[in-house]
Amino acid sequence: MDYTIEIATTDFITTESAVKGGADRIELCSAISEGGLTPSMGHIRKCREMFDLPIFPIIRPRSGDFLYTDEEFDLMMSDVKLCKELGCNGVVIGFLLNDGMIDKVRIETVVRAAYPMEVTFHRAFDRCKDPFIALEELIEAGCQRILTSGQQIKATDGLDLIKQLIEAAGDRIIIMPGSGLNPANIKYVAEATGAREFHGALRSSAESKMEFMLPSFAAIGDYINPAIKENDVREFKKALML
């Protein structure tokens, strides 16, 4: 069975490691500790120049909720168009209304502007009021996939809903489980849900190569860098084939 592994990366170095480890697609982020924010255009351009696999930047101007002002939406649209100009394969984005329903007007606007890029609706889906209504609305809007943890903090706690969404979606849209996936549980999630695409962060850390470290800042972790281990990505993929 063919599977697709998407890895969320937070900078050029972690992206390079994920690519070397065998990622099939990259969700390009900054500030992944905040749930992922829009990376800089320089970051996107460099990754697009250096790596051949699909690159999907997240378009999210701030942390917090997914209810955006008109001004925030304008800048998100600008970022979508820039990603298109840079040759990205897709974008990852999401909008809700204040009543917890999908903002259909805005997601339809993004899908039209992004074409021929794909559009993944991110885990704003996990905060929506009715996931089955949202599913149909996102299919109608033309999104290619939904990233979801089954409306739970971790995907392993939302398996029943993920399976139901996959069954309801059929071949109309891809349901991609994400949040808390690792080599130890990805096979179980695949078997329990029937999912074919999976999203993982596989976050790790690396000590700085700085020779001089001011002790007061070293004590609070300022010399610890984000990392992804190539072998963790390999093991993530390998676990699906066992």
Side-chain angles (χ1 to χ4, degrees), residues 21-96:
D24 299 307
R25 183 172 61 238
I26 297 295
E27 183 196 54
L28 200 61
C29 308
S30 66
I32 204 166
S33 61
E34 298 292 325
L37 303 180
T38 308
S40 73
M41 290 301 115
H43 182 190
I44 297 170
R45 179 180 290 108
K46 186 65 174 178
C47 289
R48 182 67 290 166
E49 290 172 352
M50 294 295 294
F51 308 122
D52 292 332
L53 79 175
I55 301 288
F56 281 52
I58 191 171
I59 308 298
R60 188 180 178 213
R62 58 164 171 79
S63 59
D65 64 28
F66 302 99
L67 179 65
Y68 297 109
T69 66
D70 290 341
E71 292 78 12
E72 288 175 319
F73 181 66
D74 286 345
L75 68 87
M76 294 169 81
M77 284 294 293
S78 295
D79 285 339
V80 168
K81 293 171 183 176
L82 285 168
C83 287
K84 185 175 178 178
E85 292 173 10
L86 291 173
C88 294
N89 305 87
V91 291
V92 181
I93 200 165
F95 311 97
L96 296 177

Side-chain angles (χ1 to χ4, degrees), residues 10-232:
T10 193
D11 52 52
F12 182 82
I13 293 174
T14 54
T15 303
E16 185 176 42
S17 296
V19 172
K20 289 180 178 178
D24 299 307
R25 183 172 61 238
I26 297 295
E27 183 196 54
L28 200 61
C29 308
S30 66
I32 204 166
S33 61
E34 298 292 325
L37 303 180
T38 308
S40 73
M41 290 301 115
H43 182 190
I44 297 170
R45 179 180 290 108
K46 186 65 174 178
C47 289
R48 182 67 290 166
E49 290 172 352
M50 294 295 294
F51 308 122
D52 292 332
L53 79 175
I55 301 288
F56 281 52
I58 191 171
I59 308 298
R60 188 180 178 213
R62 58 164 171 79
S63 59
D65 64 28
F66 302 99
L67 179 65
Y68 297 109
T69 66
D70 290 341
E71 292 78 12
E72 288 175 319
F73 181 66
D74 286 345
L75 68 87
M76 294 169 81
M77 284 294 293
S78 295
D79 285 339
V80 168
K81 293 171 183 176
L82 285 168
C83 287
K84 185 175 178 178
E85 292 173 10
L86 291 173
C88 294
N89 305 87
V91 291
V92 181
I93 200 165
F95 311 97
L96 296 177
L97 299 172
N98 61 6
D99 62 359
M101 302 300 285
I102 299 295
D103 190 329
K104 294 188 291 183
V105 172
R106 284 181 170 177
I107 194 62
E108 288 171 357
T109 301
V110 166
V111 169
R112 288 194 299 269
Y115 185 82
M117 292 191 299
E118 295 184 358
V119 175
T120 298
F121 196 91
H122 59 44
R123 290 183 64 215
F125 183 87
D126 288 325
R127 282 76 165 176
C128 75
K129 181 184 294 184
D130 188 316
F132 294 100
I133 292 176
L135 171 67
E136 297 302 326
E137 291 177 340
L138 294 174
I139 291 170
E140 291 175 7
C143 293
Q144 279 69 41
R145 70 183 51 76
I146 297 169
L147 171 62
T148 180
S149 57
Q151 297 204 315
Q152 301 295 324
I153 303 300
K154 300 296 183 184
T156 48
D157 295 321
L159 296 180
D160 288 344
L161 179 56
I162 293 170
K163 181 179 180 180
Q164 291 171 31
L165 289 166
I166 289 172
E167 291 172 349
D171 294 329
R172 298 180 296 161
I173 196 170
I174 296 163
I175 304 298
M176 178 171 62
S179 184
L181 300 190
N182 57 54
N185 63 27
I186 188 171
K187 182 68 171 181
Y188 172 68
V189 172
E191 292 175 343
T193 64
R196 302 288 294 275
E197 295 195 8
F198 303 88
H199 173 96
L202 303 180
R203 282 189 280 175
S204 185
S205 61
E207 292 187 8
S208 170
K209 294 182 180 179
M210 289 287 296
E211 294 182 1
F212 171 76
M213 298 185 186
L214 201 65
S216 57
F217 288 95
I220 62 172
D222 272 15
Y223 297 98
I224 301 296
N225 295 335
I228 290 176
K229 297 176 182 178
E230 293 175 32
N231 195 56
D232 286 349

